[in-house]
Amino acid sequence: MPDIRIEFVSSAVLRDMESAKRIEYLLRVIKRGCLIVLEERLGPDEERLLIEETMNLVNDKFTGIEISSLGASSTSQWKERIIRMLGGKTSGLTVIGPAKMIKEIKNDRSKINLLAGFAGDKP
Amino acid sequence: MLGWLQGLIDRFFGSKSISLGLYGAPNAGKTTLANKISMDFVGEPLGKVSEVPHETRVVQKKEKVSMKVNGKKLTMNLLDMPGIATKVDYRDFLKYGIDKESARIRAKEATKGIIEAIKWLENVDAALVVMDSTEDPYTQVNITILGNLEARNIPVILVANKTDLPGSNVKRIREAFPQYPLVHISAKNGHNVDELYRTIFEKVG
């Protein structure tokens, strides 16, 4: 069975990045075939941008992503940005990975249950 | 200026015009519902329904749909959005008997449709977020749709669809998203759609 690599990303890594750069970083890691556990929740605009950019990348080999988040999402992107600029952390947790690797992902608002493995070719 | 004039006309004649978007995951029953609304108020369907996911791959529009309930009139542009997903695999279409090349084309079109639906999130005046009540509603797609609509202060009505099916669980949707008005319907057989129309008037009319 192939190995599964998980990258645990501190919110400090993404703190100074603009939304587009954050999404670019996340997708770069995912396309390497890694699961990401992010120490915060993405804002609604970032979630939207992530889906949009993922769709731009979809092809026969890369079929997209699975994503699940915990914690309240702030509806204000500016509020989140100011918190980050002041060195603070927005609460939450996000798990993202290549769709081919994640067989099942369930979220009951207090925990995320994830089953990963390779169904066929490595992503 | 035109918007102001339209507002004055609307106020004078007691009518209002809005863009109503139907959002949700693939196969939630958005097109079935859009067809039901269109048939009830225009007399013709809007789009093709299929059991194969991503049947709607471009935004389907029906303009100037006049909804009349209890003497009130609401004119709307009905927008049936492609289902939003985080993954599209052409291999998933093969099991429906679609050949490989057509499946690849369908997948490519589906990704473009998802992007188009996402871009429209900024441009609708109100949204019906349609969920298959036999499925787990607490998915990232539903969370992302609702989060983006809420961030833009766009009024939302949750539609728990497919209540005609044995595994339907409306309570699960209510518990997952208690902050939104919810109407349970069967778009397929028309059950409770009158309640949905009343709710549309109440929340966005």
Side-chain angles (χ1 to χ4, degrees):
Chain A
M1 186 182 160
D3 297 331
I4 291 171
R5 188 175 294 276
I6 305 173
E7 199 159 301
F8 295 84
V9 183
S10 158
S11 55
V13 174
L14 304 177
R15 186 181 297 154
D16 299 324
M17 292 183 194
E18 287 290 315
S19 290
K21 287 280 171 203
R22 290 158 67 91
I23 300 308
E24 194 184 310
Y25 171 85
L26 295 172
L27 283 171
R28 199 165 52 238
V29 177
I30 293 164
K31 283 208 79 180
R32 286 208 311 261
C34 286
L35 276 174
I36 300 176
V37 179
L38 183 61
E39 192 197 9
E40 64 180 68
R41 183 164 182 172
L42 299 174
D45 269 336
E46 287 172 334
E47 289 175 352
R48 191 171 74 116
L49 189 60
L50 178 64
I51 296 176
E52 229 180 296
E53 290 305 316
T54 300
M55 287 303 118
N56 279 323
L57 294 173
V58 164
N59 57 32
D60 287 3
K61 284 187 175 172
F62 178 70
T63 57
I65 59 167
E66 290 283 9
I67 171 172
S68 197
S69 307
L70 291 181
S73 172
S74 169
T75 54
S76 165
Q77 204 73 16
W78 283 104
K79 189 175 158 192
E80 287 183 7
R81 203 168 288 169
I82 289 166
I83 291 170
R84 283 185 208 131
M85 276 166 60
L86 295 173
K89 282 195 291 190
T90 54
S91 62
L93 181 86
T94 304
V95 182
I96 321 171
K100 268 192 176 178
M101 190 197 281
I102 299 176
K103 291 180 174 175
E104 191 181 279
I105 192 160
K106 283 190 176 173
N107 184 335
D108 72 359
R109 282 182 285 178
S110 58
K111 64 176 185 287
I112 294 169
N113 197 307
L114 183 145
L115 178 65
F118 290 104
D121 295 334
K122 226 175 164 179
Chain B
M1 182 68 183
L2 278 174
W4 174 82
L5 190 63
Q6 182 65 51
L8 194 69
I9 292 166
D10 289 344
R11 199 176 305 165
F12 189 76
F13 291 103
S15 67
K16 194 177 173 182
S17 180
I18 60 158
S19 291
L20 182 70
L22 275 72
Y23 276 97
N27 280 27
K30 296 177 293 301
T31 304
T32 307
L33 177 57
N35 283 344
K36 175 68 184 153
I37 296 171
S38 190
M39 284 300 291
D40 283 351
F41 297 102
V42 185
E44 59 187 31
L46 201 157
K48 190 179 157 208
V49 174
S50 167
E51 60 161 350
V52 187
H54 298 286
E55 181 64 27
T56 306
R57 299 186 292 283
V58 291
V59 178
Q60 304 278 336
K61 297 174 201 166
K62 182 67 79 182
E63 296 185 330
K64 295 182 180 169
V65 176
S66 285
M67 189 180 268
K68 288 170 193 162
V69 174
N70 298 333
K72 278 186 168 180
K73 188 175 145 193
L74 177 65
T75 305
M76 57 192 177
N77 294 330
L78 194 60
L79 301 159
D80 180 23
M81 302 291 173
I84 295 179
T86 59
K87 59 179 178 182
V88 180
D89 189 342
Y90 81 91
R91 284 162 282 249
D92 291 341
F93 304 136
L94 300 176
K95 60 186 172 213
Y96 295 95
I98 296 174
D99 66 83
K100 202 170 176 180
E101 197 45 42
S102 302
R104 279 198 169 113
I105 293 168
R106 189 183 185 92
K108 193 71 205 162
E109 290 173 352
T111 60
K112 286 180 182 168
I114 291 167
I115 293 170
E116 191 188 6
I118 285 174
K119 288 193 188 299
W120 264 96
L121 276 167
E122 294 177 15
N123 298 311
V124 294
D125 298 312
L128 302 180
V129 178
V130 184
M131 298 181 191
D132 179 344
S133 63
T134 68
E135 301 278 338
D136 177 8
Y138 203 70
T139 63
Q140 194 63 41
V141 163
N142 286 335
I143 292 166
T144 300
I145 293 169
L146 289 168
N148 275 277
L149 291 167
E150 194 179 330
R152 289 163 180 78
N153 293 317
I154 295 168
V156 170
I157 298 167
L158 298 188
V159 181
N161 191 23
K162 305 194 186 184
T163 55
D164 54 302
L165 295 180
S168 169
N169 187 344
V170 176
K171 191 177 161 212
R172 194 164 52 173
I173 299 177
R174 189 167 281 127
E175 285 172 355
F177 305 108
Q179 66 272 46
Y180 300 101
L182 181 146
V183 183
H184 58 90
I185 65 157
S186 166
K188 191 176 174 185
N189 64 25
H191 173 72
N192 215 33
V193 288
D194 288 340
E195 178 61 26
L196 176 62
Y197 299 155
R198 276 193 292 274
T199 308
I200 291 172
F201 266 92
E202 188 188 320
K203 301 296 176 190
V204 302

